[in-house]
Amino acid sequence: MSDKISDKIYTPPQSAVQGAHVSGMAAYDALCKEAESDYEGYWARLARELLSWKQPFTQVLNDSDAPFFKWFEDGRLNVSYNCLDRHVEAGRGDRVAVIFEADDGSVTRVTYADLLARTVQLANALKARGVKKGDRVVIYMPMSVEGVVAMQACARIGATHSVVFGGFSAQSLRDRVQDAGAVLILTADEQQRGGKSLALKSIVDEALADNSCPTIRGVIVYKRTGGAIGWVEGRDEWLHDAVAGQAPTCEPEWVEAEHPLFLLYTSGSTGKPKGVQHSTGGYLLHAALTTKWTFDLKDSDIFWCTADIGWVTGHTYITYGPLALGGTEVVFESIPTYPDAGRFWQMIQKHQVTIFYTAPTAIRSLIKAAETNAAVHPRNYDLSSLRILGSVGEPINPAAWEWYHQHVGGGRCPIVDTFWQTETGGHMITPLPGATPLVPGSCTLPFPGITAAIVDETGNDVPNGQGGILVVKKPWPSMIRTIYGDPERFKKSYYPPELKGYYLAGDGAIRDAQTGYFTITGRIDDVLNVSGHRMGTMEIESALVSCTELVAEAAVVGRPDDTTGEAICAFVVLKRPRPSGDEAKAIAKQLRDWVAKEIGPIAKPKDIRFGDNLPKTRSGKIMRRLLRSVAKGEAVTQDTSTLENPAILEQLGQAY
Ligand code: 6R9
């Protein structure tokens, strides 16, 4: 298989090791040892070194109500003070905090002093509108300085923000506003991306229509494009009007370390989105610490994380981590392919970016673009400013890794493949650029202090070389605190009783037998193990759908099998009427042979079932959990209330 983890090892070049915050493997090992021998002391030391506390904590970890862990409980601090004021107080107010590049390429530089002034004024405007500590504020804004300021302003007054990605529909926005019981929405008239303006305010209007969100008292609108929008008198106010005349100072709200800094909704595979709740102290510690060690951020760096503030990566590695360290970062409004697919490379050259953090999917699409249009190949740009590259969000396949390393990083930049989740707040398993030897396709080793491990279904360690369930054994400072409004779901999702009190990440992983390096094999429900061969269900699905003359759609799940451990079961919707009898058998054989040819005989589905459709949620997600029951031939006992077409289950269960 082409995506086999590479055998190549890239040791960090001397230039990356020298002067790094964590320099060399001995330094990494020493940190791990320190955490192992005095876990609480380790985190306490770092929390004192990296953060400024209004009231120092005396208690480090409180596990008396596990899994509702508390960190630095009796300490008080403020996130916006840590991200802004303290740098200005240290005489660094003139330092550029944000280099904002708009859709059309125009650039705005915002210093720490400016960012603080804007945050303070908005904080005062929010207070004037009656927003108080603990209130929830929804932010539905484009990538902008104003978006970052909105988050910081909430943090300043102790309001808990919930950023909703600008691509979500009115219905999703409404669900989130309702679930959070938000009192106010910050939005923009329109967002501007790829030369097009997209409505945001009208989506807010639709979400709030018919008094569907009675907790909302106001909507503050940043004028981005000046496009025509609807207006509700008494509810809506322009951002520029709201901040005009506000006092230039605002005492930060010194909140307890456990105070909820934000909620961020993320989808489970079924049911309604979960409002992942994060803390103030523990979260900010890990945001700052991982930015410092994983990206080796220094004063001389220009850091660019291409994520949107609507996702956790944008929270931790745009709004909080880099600013907590007083760094300089690029914030980008647009898309990687506008005006052409050379935009990223052109921007790295223009802003002399030194640390670049993006997603494998972006890299893969830019590889494709460069293959068809030589003009947008990175070799046409001067990328010599780069010193560290990062990857996040999904496994990066070795071929994409190699291309990124060679063509973007010029063969000299370590790639940090950072594994983490919305729930973890920051990096969990990742190389450190001045220490860890890299293996393409592996996220390597746990961040110092993170007790990542691989266990079986009963929570017992599995030996290296054998796949299993990824867990984190000990609580860590930036972990999810609860699912907002649903503590039972939090416990059930992340702390199932059979796992000995370990945090369940929901991913499968395997450690290399020699190096102990971790490779994430994907969400537990998407990975199969057949005769000891690990395979992604997605891989088999794409092989099936690549049989374009026959297959319209396919879903693949595993079912227990006595001889092979797990057997592959494929559910297929054909581009022709559902076959039965001998015809079905013949087509099934044809498809098995097809998969064998595409991937290898080991990937041949043992069972192939045909249906007129697949069981899907109303949002269009295939419900693999149900398919697993069907594959096993057992009665479906799971909740099917979110299933669009329940009748399909019976049809898919039929043999031919
Ligand atoms: C930060 C973020 C989390 C899920 C996670 C895993 C996948 C993220 C990865 C990775 C392999 C990496 N994932 N980083 N898989 N290697 N470096 O993406 O958060 O949106 O919550 O997604 O993404 O499956 O469980 P989130």
Side-chain angles (χ1 to χ4, degrees):
M1 271 177 267
S2 62
D3 273 5
K4 172 184 176 302
I5 298 311
S6 165
D7 296 327
K8 279 194 195 157
I9 295 188
Y10 293 82
T11 43
Q14 205 40 43
S15 56
V17 179
Q18 210 129 46
H21 288 305
V22 180
S23 179
M25 273 316 261
Y28 169 84
D29 290 337
L31 289 166
C32 294
K33 272 221 179 71
E34 181 190 346
E36 209 178 292
S37 64
D38 179 9
Y39 193 64
E40 291 189 31
Y42 168 81
W43 289 115
R45 170 176 78 78
L46 293 165
R48 289 186 186 109
E49 279 175 21
L50 274 104
L51 304 183
S52 302
W53 296 83
K54 181 72 175 178
Q55 179 184 302
F57 56 89
T58 60
Q59 200 173 1
V60 184
L61 169 64
N62 176 351
D63 58 5
S64 61
D65 187 25
F68 300 94
F69 300 101
K70 298 188 177 80
W71 285 89
F72 318 119
E73 209 180 346
D74 59 346
R76 284 183 175 264
L77 75 167
N78 179 278
V79 164
S80 92
Y81 177 84
N82 273 272
C83 292
L84 304 171
D85 304 60
R86 65 169 171 169
H87 309 311
V88 176
E89 286 170 10
R92 294 155 55 91
D94 289 339
R95 225 177 115 71
V96 173
V98 172
I99 302 168
F100 175 71
E101 179 158 324
D103 198 44
D104 66 1
S106 57
V107 174
T108 317
R109 288 184 159 71
V110 185
T111 64
Y112 273 93
D114 293 338
L115 205 57
L116 174 60
R118 289 164 73 162
T119 297
V120 160
Q121 283 207 306
L122 180 54
N124 284 329
L126 293 175
K127 285 213 275 197
R129 287 215 147 209
V131 180
K132 299 182 308 294
K133 177 184 173 190
D135 285 345
R136 275 80 57 219
V137 171
V138 162
I139 297 174
Y140 188 64
M141 292 180 82
M143 284 299 290
S144 52
V145 176
E146 286 72 12
V148 174
V149 166
M151 295 165 80
Q152 290 284 350
C154 287
R156 190 164 196 91
I157 64 171
T160 300
H161 62 66
S162 176
V163 184
V164 177
F165 176 62
F168 277 116
S169 67
Q171 180 60 48
S172 312
L173 177 60
R174 182 185 303 140
D175 291 345
R176 287 158 171 75
V177 169
Q178 286 173 345
D179 191 80
V183 300
L184 191 122
I185 301 182
L186 283 146
T187 188
D189 50 359
E190 296 177 314
Q191 63 177 7
Q192 180 74 27
R193 276 159 67 89
K196 295 194 205 89
S197 41
L198 300 151
L200 286 180
K201 172 62 165 57
S202 73
I203 295 173
V204 171
D205 291 342
E206 199 185 328
L208 301 184
D210 307 321
N211 199 29
S212 57
C213 302
T215 53
I216 290 290
R217 297 199 297 261
V219 176
I220 295 182
V221 188
Y222 157 52
K223 190 185 253 186
R224 167 60 185 91
T225 64
I229 56 169
W231 201 258
V232 177
E233 278 310 325
R235 186 196 72 182
D236 300 348
E237 186 177 17
W238 287 112
L239 176 67
H240 53 261
D241 290 335
V243 298
Q246 292 294 345
T249 57
C250 170
E251 175 70 9
E253 183 79 36
W254 304 105
V255 299
E256 336 54 274
E258 279 298 315
H259 183 71
L261 176 64
F262 66 88
L263 310 179
L264 185 56
Y265 284 82
T266 185
S267 7
S269 43
T270 55
K272 63 174 195 159
K274 316 184 249 198
V276 172
Q277 180 178 317
H278 276 287
S279 69
T280 294
Y283 170 80
L284 190 64
L285 167 60
H286 208 55
L289 181 66
T290 51
T291 305
K292 182 169 176 176
W293 288 356
T294 308
F295 297 118
D296 193 38
L297 189 76
K298 306 209 176 89
D299 281 353
S300 50
D301 281 309
I302 307 287
F303 178 79
W304 182 16
C305 165
T306 68
D308 192 287
I309 52 167
W311 308 117
V312 73
T313 305
H315 282 58
T316 307
Y317 300 107
I318 294 177
T319 302
Y320 295 119
L323 296 182
L325 298 180
T328 297
E329 63 177 334
V330 173
V331 173
F332 180 42
E333 181 178 46
S334 188
I335 54 174
T337 48
Y338 179 78
D340 61 40
R343 184 74 182 263
F344 275 0
W345 323 133
Q346 187 256 336
M347 279 180 62
I348 290 169
Q349 171 180 294
K350 177 168 159 188
H351 300 297
Q352 296 284 289
V353 171
T354 58
I355 306 167
F356 180 65
Y357 190 34
T358 196
T361 171
I363 296 163
R364 284 194 295 265
S365 76
L366 297 176
I367 293 174
K368 228 197 227 146
E371 276 167 1
T372 50
N373 175 9
V376 298
H377 194 284
R379 70 172 155 255
N380 301 308
Y381 302 83
D382 177 6
L383 305 181
S384 58
S385 58
L386 286 171
R387 66 181 195 95
I388 292 164
L389 301 175
S391 172
V392 59
E394 51 181 319
I396 177 163
N397 50 305
W401 195 103
E402 296 283 0
W403 188 92
Y404 194 28
H405 188 252
Q406 185 186 341
H407 296 292
V408 182
R412 72 184 181 279
C413 305
I415 297 178
V416 289
D417 176 1
T418 60
F419 168 81
W420 61 295
Q421 310 173 296
T422 302
E423 294 88 339
T424 70
H427 302 153
M428 299 301 280
I429 308 179
T430 178
L432 302 185
T436 321
L438 305 172
V439 173
S442 166
C443 53
T444 73
L445 297 169
F447 191 85
I450 297 298
T451 52
I454 301 179
V455 299
D456 64 19
E457 261 120 43
T458 55
N460 291 316
D461 288 309
V462 301
N464 288 357
Q466 231 179 67
I469 299 170
L470 182 64
V471 297
V472 185
K473 291 191 168 178
K474 293 185 194 173
W476 68 100
S478 66
M479 65 189 298
I480 174 177
R481 292 308 195 262
T482 189
I483 292 175
Y484 185 73
D486 201 348
E488 278 312 307
R489 189 172 176 198
F490 164 74
K491 275 207 263 190
K492 236 170 79 188
S493 308
Y494 303 108
Y495 284 93
E498 64 277 14
L499 288 185
K500 302 183 169 174
Y502 300 158
Y503 166 84
L504 172 68
D507 282 287
I510 185 165
R511 298 186 75 156
D512 182 80
Q514 271 84 51
T515 57
Y517 276 17
F518 286 73
T519 291
I520 307 298
T521 46
R523 302 296 300 188
I524 288 170
D525 45 8
D526 287 341
V527 175
L528 305 179
N529 187 328
V530 183
S531 307
H533 297 267
R534 298 187 66 86
M535 269 171 296
T537 52
M538 290 290 293
E539 220 178 315
I540 305 164
E541 286 171 11
S542 34
L544 282 165
V545 296
S546 73
C547 183
T548 50
E549 82 198 52
L550 269 178
V551 178
E553 221 179 346
V556 170
V557 299
R559 65 165 174 77
D561 184 281
D562 286 346
T563 43
T564 56
E566 235 178 347
I568 301 165
C569 189
F571 295 89
V572 176
V573 180
L574 295 175
K575 285 184 174 168
R576 33 153 298 164
R578 178 171 174 263
S580 58
D582 285 348
E583 197 192 15
K585 283 185 189 136
I587 295 177
K589 178 173 185 315
Q590 203 182 333
L591 290 177
R592 276 192 201 99
D593 293 345
W594 176 276
V595 173
K597 180 178 71 68
E598 288 288 299
I599 306 175
I602 187 69
K604 266 189 178 181
K606 190 156 187 177
D607 303 337
I608 296 189
R609 304 281 177 80
F610 299 103
D612 294 323
N613 212 329
L614 296 172
K616 288 184 185 162
T617 62
R618 281 165 224 282
S619 63
K621 270 207 162 122
I622 295 171
M623 298 178 79
R624 288 191 170 72
R625 273 160 23 103
L626 301 183
L627 286 175
R628 271 197 294 276
S629 293
V630 175
K632 280 194 233 168
E634 62 182 22
V636 174
T637 52
Q638 297 100 325
D639 177 18
T640 54
S641 59
T642 55
L643 181 59
E644 175 104 75
N645 46 354
I648 205 71
L649 293 178
E650 210 200 314
Q651 190 185 66
L652 289 167
Q654 285 164 15
Y656 42 83

